[in-house]
Amino acid sequence: MSSRFPEGGGSNIRKRKRELIHLYEAEISLSATEEETAKKRKDDPTQQPKDMAAFFSLLEDENIRLFLARDSCRRISDKYLLAMVFIYFRRARLRPDKYKKNFFPALFLANQFEEEEGRFRREIYPWALGRSWYLMKERKRLFHRRNLLFLRMGFKAWVDQESCDLIMAQDPLHWAWTRERQIHHGEAVRSFRRNDEEFTIYGPWSVPPSCPICETILLHPCEVKEAENIMCQADTEEEPGTSQS
């Protein structure tokens, strides 16, 4: 029987495995003081308050605001995922003028690391890529930007809850930190028990059906305003037909 590896391949793989183990052991051998210093340097927003101000300004972008309003159940953009995006920006040492370009790649990466149900994050495709989102070459653009961000972060995409809480504590009254995911959306649900509509990709061009449970929960004022604007636009489009009848 032929070997599973080419000549010398098995020893090289074992050597690489040992190197990775040593790197991992070196990583976890950091003292508590060193870990606290590293966390403060990378995640503490008080060092660069202008960064957080730029992040809040980014959230006011028309496309991003509409995206957040459509994700009314906060399945792919709750307060913790948004805090992770900001932490990613800090870890990658991005300039504020690069935030917009990297928002959806960072949010996609945060969903990959935190969310067990991976099909919800596909809703990010049309918002990040436009009407050609269904083409694989376009999706690869998103994946490429995500990978570049991941590389700039030193492949450190895991964020603990304490770090997110520290970020939100700097401005706890900002509307982004009110995006609390409801308990019924935090539970694990088997795929065969889910409705197919839950995984439909709607994008900016169509409004997803309202959640029968979340619709009874009050929206944040900015989301109410967004919904009112959509309703006003619909009424305006119906006026010509109404006047003729």
Side-chain angles (χ1 to χ4, degrees), residues 171-222:
D171 192 350
L173 298 181
H174 192 273
W175 61 263
W177 311 140
T178 68
R179 294 181 60 80
E180 190 85 38
R181 187 182 307 177
Q182 300 304 315
I183 296 177
H184 59 272
H185 285 312
E187 300 172 347
V189 180
R190 293 185 180 274
S191 297
F192 70 86
R193 294 184 180 275
R194 291 189 180 276
N195 191 318
D196 290 340
E197 287 185 349
E198 292 187 75
F199 304 116
T200 301
I201 299 176
Y202 293 94
W205 312 286
S206 56
V207 180
S210 59
C211 174
I213 303 178
C214 288
E215 66 182 359
T216 62
I217 301 172
L218 291 178
L219 298 176
H220 187 269
C222 76

Side-chain angles (χ1 to χ4, degrees), residues 40-51:
K40 183 176 181 180
R41 183 177 64 252
K42 292 180 180 180
D43 297 345
D44 186 2
T46 60
Q47 293 185 358
Q48 295 291 338
K50 292 183 178 179
D51 291 351

